[in-house]
Amino acid sequence: VDESELLTVPDGWKEPAFTREDNPKGLLEESSFATLFPKYREAYLKECWPLVQKALGEHYVNATLDLIEGSMTVTTTKKTFDPYAIIRARDLIKLLARSVPFEQVFRILQDDVACDIIKIGSLVRKRDTFIKRRGRLLGPKGSTLKALELLTNCYIMVQGNTVSALGPFSGLKEVRKVVLDTMKNVHPIYNIKTLMIKRELSKDPELRSQSWERFLPKFKRKNLKKRKEPKKKNTKKEYTPFPPPQPESQTDKELASGEYFLKERQKKRKRVEEIKAKQADAIKKRQEERNKAFIPPKEKPVVKTKKGN
């Protein structure tokens, strides 16, 4: 037999289901898991709990809803033969607590379906930035999230500080990558474009064994525009070990101008003269502004026209 045939998995192959014949004696110990749920989920859980018990009852797992403590509990029974059934039941109640509807949750009990709960609350420091990036993951009217669901074949629920995904293992891997990149300020449209190209390439049987790097787009991070330079630039003065010169006091200025040696009467007269000079200048400027209205405008010269003979 050729080794390449042994390493490849044939198309459409599925692992056989786990039956009672695989584990006829059942489980030795009883296992249980419990999880809390928020108050606003109480009415919905109370309504759909009979359906939850029926779905888990087919796998011989008991489910208990405690409305007083606000918790859900799943436990194995003596008839439980699948050891992984309790893990699926645990994931089921976790998804129910995170606002995923029961119409999607019951799919977790299938063999080829798994779930992933991605915590995004601690990935961004600022609350405003976190809300913007979470909204970017949803897109306008949920279009980005819908496109991601179609490409990955997963159901995605963005609620609070978590993103719950439900679907095949390969799709969950892509969903986690897109969500974490979005929280790192990478727009989800770039990852969606890459997923669309990969989806088309996977249809070609010749390209399955080849590298897809040459087909995938390479997005370069654009640098932001340089910040505008301020009008006033603060330039640092050269360092000198000597202190700055002491500013002149009023007495020093009077000594320099000779005013210090004048008598009090002379100082007063000088101040009055300075005030009068300022007032005279102000009056003169005001009068010039008023006289501008009485200056006649320059008339254009009259051009004489020649009279026709």
Side-chain angles (χ1 to χ4, degrees):
V1 181
D2 190 8
E3 288 185 2
S4 61
E5 293 181 5
L6 292 174
L7 295 173
T8 56
V9 179
D11 293 336
W13 181 85
K14 285 186 178 181
E15 191 175 346
F18 194 87
T19 59
R20 185 172 286 280
E21 285 74 21
D22 297 317
N23 186 18
K25 294 184 179 179
L27 305 176
L28 295 173
E29 294 289 335
E30 183 185 280
S31 302
S32 65
F33 289 100
T35 186
L36 299 173
F37 59 87
K39 183 74 175 174
Y40 63 86
R41 290 291 288 169
E42 185 177 316
Y44 180 78
L45 290 173
K46 194 175 179 181
E47 186 181 343
C48 72
W49 198 249
L51 298 171
V52 175
Q53 287 179 322
K54 185 181 177 182
L56 292 176
E58 293 175 2
H59 296 267
Y60 304 103
V61 177
N62 284 338
T64 310
L65 177 67
D66 193 343
L67 296 173
I68 297 168
E69 292 184 2
S71 65
M72 293 179 282
T73 311
V74 287
T75 53
T76 56
T77 61
K78 292 180 180 179
K79 292 182 179 181
T80 309
F81 61 88
D82 187 358
Y84 201 71
I86 187 66
I87 303 297
R88 290 192 183 122
R90 179 202 63 183
D91 292 340
L92 186 143
I93 59 174
K94 274 188 177 181
L95 291 169
L96 280 173
R98 281 177 165 78
S99 300
V100 181
F102 179 75
E103 289 78 10
Q104 296 290 338
V105 168
F106 81 95
R107 290 169 51 212
I108 195 69
L109 301 173
Q110 300 172 14
D111 288 338
D112 56 345
V113 178
C115 74
D116 190 8
I117 296 167
I118 308 158
K119 294 180 180 179
I120 57 174
S122 59
L123 297 176
V124 184
R125 288 184 179 180
K126 292 183 180 179
R127 184 69 183 170
D128 295 340
T129 310
F130 167 73
I131 291 166
K132 283 180 183 177
R133 291 182 187 175
R134 187 180 63 181
R136 195 182 293 169
L137 186 65
L138 293 167
K141 297 181 181 179
S143 57
T144 306
L145 195 69
K146 190 67 180 175
L148 196 60
E149 286 181 348
L150 291 170
L151 288 167
T152 57
N153 296 322
C154 294
Y155 174 81
I156 306 166
M157 181 72 183
V158 181
Q159 178 74 14
N161 295 330
T162 58
V163 177
S164 306
L166 187 74
F169 292 97
S170 58
L172 292 175
K173 187 180 177 182
E174 297 293 344
V175 169
R176 176 170 276 272
K177 183 181 180 299
V178 174
V179 170
L180 294 179
D181 283 353
T182 305
M183 289 295 119
K184 291 175 185 174
N185 203 19
V186 178
H187 203 281
I189 196 68
Y190 299 126
N191 286 310
I192 286 171
K193 283 183 178 179
T194 307
L195 287 172
M196 288 171 72
I197 294 166
K198 283 182 179 179
R199 191 176 188 180
E200 293 299 320
L201 291 171
S202 62
K203 293 176 182 178
D204 192 348
E206 294 180 1
L207 293 171
R208 284 187 182 179
S209 59
Q210 296 179 16
S211 177
W212 293 349
E213 288 295 324
R214 55 200 172 104
F215 300 108
L216 299 178
K218 293 178 182 177
F219 301 105
K220 292 182 180 179
R221 181 169 288 190
K222 293 181 181 179
N223 293 328
L224 297 171
K225 291 181 180 179
K226 291 184 179 179
R227 188 171 64 89
K228 291 181 180 179
E229 294 183 357
K231 290 181 179 179
K232 294 181 181 179
K233 289 185 178 180
N234 296 325
T235 54
K236 288 187 177 180
K237 295 178 182 178
E238 293 183 3
Y239 174 74
T240 54
F242 305 105
Q246 192 173 0
E248 288 186 348
S249 63
Q250 187 66 26
T251 308
D252 292 337
K253 290 177 182 177
E254 289 178 357
L255 284 168
S257 62
E259 193 180 345
Y260 182 79
F261 302 102
L262 296 174
K263 291 180 181 179
E264 190 64 33
R265 191 184 298 171
Q266 291 173 330
K267 289 180 183 179
K268 194 173 182 180
R269 190 186 302 162
K270 191 178 180 182
R271 282 197 292 270
V272 170
E273 287 175 359
E274 287 176 356
I275 291 167
K276 284 183 178 180
K278 285 181 180 179
Q279 286 176 350
D281 290 339
I283 291 166
K284 190 178 179 180
K285 286 180 181 178
R286 206 180 301 124
Q287 195 65 35
E288 287 176 358
E289 289 291 327
R290 287 176 181 174
N291 292 337
K292 280 181 182 179
F294 300 102
I295 297 171
K298 290 182 179 180
E299 294 182 0
K300 293 180 181 180
V302 179
V303 179
K304 292 181 179 180
T305 56
K306 293 181 180 180
K307 293 180 180 180
N309 295 327

